Amino acid sequence: DTAVSQTPKYLVTQMGNDKSIKCEQNLGHDTMYWYKQDSKKFLKIMFSYNNKELIINETVPNRFSPKSPDKAHLNLHINSLELGDSAVYFCASSQIAGGPDTQYFGPGTRLTVL
Amino acid sequence: GENVEQHPSTLSVQEGDSAVIKCTYSDSASNYFPWYKQELGKRPQLIIDIRSNVGEKKDQRIAVTLNKTAKHFSLHITETQPEDSAVYFCAARYESSASKIIFGSGTRLSIRP
């Protein structure tokens, strides 16, 4: 069984479009995250939710909006996509906000904005 | 501010030799330091972690050391094998910032046959 899953795996779209990435975890974890990994492989946290409550909101354009319908799901909606949004987006979950427990990552969604 | 510095950015070692990756962190209150391995096209996965109450932890060929005074921690891989080739990330948990994990910039490790 997949612990943390994301859909879609690949997303190719035009500038200006709106798109969503979905994430689900079946580990029973309380906390979920979105990370952005750019072309230089740098992993940067974007958002974190604990029991459906937003606890971390980094300096991210407000075109990015996370939504957590329940603690097993954390979706990411992106409005008015820009070229610079092209990256791999990873969802992750952990038992306790920020650790010390392990963060389990999803397989990633490679977003390409043309 | 919140920062984890990681060196080197790339590392190439002969198969069988040892590899060492070093990180420094800025928040003296940090108490949890995981290391993640990311193979090409795959997700990051935890390989080892250390908490601030110990100075060293070992798991087979992998060991991590922590110097809280100097705010340094390091990953040591001995007897390297081709499957060790990957990008390695250190990270630190920042207690002063909603307990978030800050990642280093990554080290691309290549094992030469």
Side-chain angles (χ1 to χ4, degrees):
Chain A
D1 285 339
T2 303
V4 183
S5 59
Q6 291 177 233
T7 55
K9 191 170 174 61
Y10 299 96
L11 187 50
V12 181
T13 188
Q14 298 287 333
M15 267 196 318
N17 284 349
D18 303 339
K19 291 293 179 186
S20 292
I21 307 171
K22 296 185 176 181
C23 179
E24 177 181 2
Q25 55 96 3
N26 62 6
L27 297 166
H29 286 168
D30 295 324
T31 307
M32 297 183 71
Y33 311 80
W34 278 109
Y35 288 89
K36 179 180 181 181
Q37 186 170 47
D38 59 25
S39 58
K40 295 183 180 178
K41 299 299 183 184
F42 191 62
L43 261 174
K44 185 163 172 56
I45 191 166
M46 300 172 69
F47 301 103
S48 175
Y49 271 74
N50 180 252
N51 279 320
K52 301 195 296 175
E53 181 185 347
L54 180 65
I55 56 171
I56 294 173
N57 185 353
E58 289 297 282
T59 308
V60 177
N62 57 15
R63 298 182 294 104
F64 290 78
S65 53
K67 284 188 173 54
S68 182
D70 55 61
K71 75 173 193 177
H73 296 84
L74 180 61
N75 303 324
L76 183 65
H77 188 76
I78 315 171
N79 289 329
S80 304
L81 278 156
E82 299 178 358
L83 292 176
D85 297 333
S86 296
V88 179
Y89 292 83
F90 284 100
C91 176
S93 72
S94 70
Q95 182 59 31
I96 299 173
D101 287 0
T102 303
Q103 297 216 345
Y104 292 83
F105 284 85
T109 295
R110 182 175 294 277
L111 172 64
T112 303
V113 182
L114 304 175
Chain B
E2 306 155 354
N3 193 34
V4 176
E5 293 193 2
Q6 182 171 348
H7 301 281
S9 57
T10 60
L11 180 60
S12 177
V13 301
Q14 193 77 32
E15 183 177 350
D17 288 350
S18 296
V20 180
I21 302 170
K22 298 183 179 182
C23 290
T24 60
Y25 59 98
S26 56
D27 183 359
S28 56
S30 296
N31 61 7
Y32 174 63
F33 308 92
W35 285 87
Y36 285 81
K37 175 183 180 182
Q38 186 178 23
E39 296 177 357
L40 188 62
K42 302 283 182 66
R43 74 191 78 189
Q45 291 191 294
L46 183 80
I47 53 172
I48 194 167
D49 56 15
I50 190 167
R51 290 164 176 68
S52 58
N53 57 347
V54 297
E56 185 173 358
K57 183 176 178 181
K58 191 172 181 180
D59 182 3
Q60 300 183 341
R61 297 185 297 108
I62 294 173
V64 58
T65 58
L66 172 64
N67 182 332
K68 284 216 74 179
T69 303
K71 291 187 277 189
H72 289 172
F73 58 115
S74 301
L75 178 72
H76 304 251
I77 306 174
T78 59
E79 300 172 22
T80 53
Q81 300 170 4
E83 55 264 35
D84 295 330
S85 294
V87 178
Y88 291 80
F89 293 95
C90 63
R93 176 188 176 188
Y94 275 79
E95 294 288 352
S96 56
S97 299
S99 299
K100 67 182 172 185
I101 299 281
I102 302 293
F103 284 83
S105 53
T107 296
R108 185 177 299 277
L109 175 63
S110 302
I111 308 300
R112 303 190 303 271

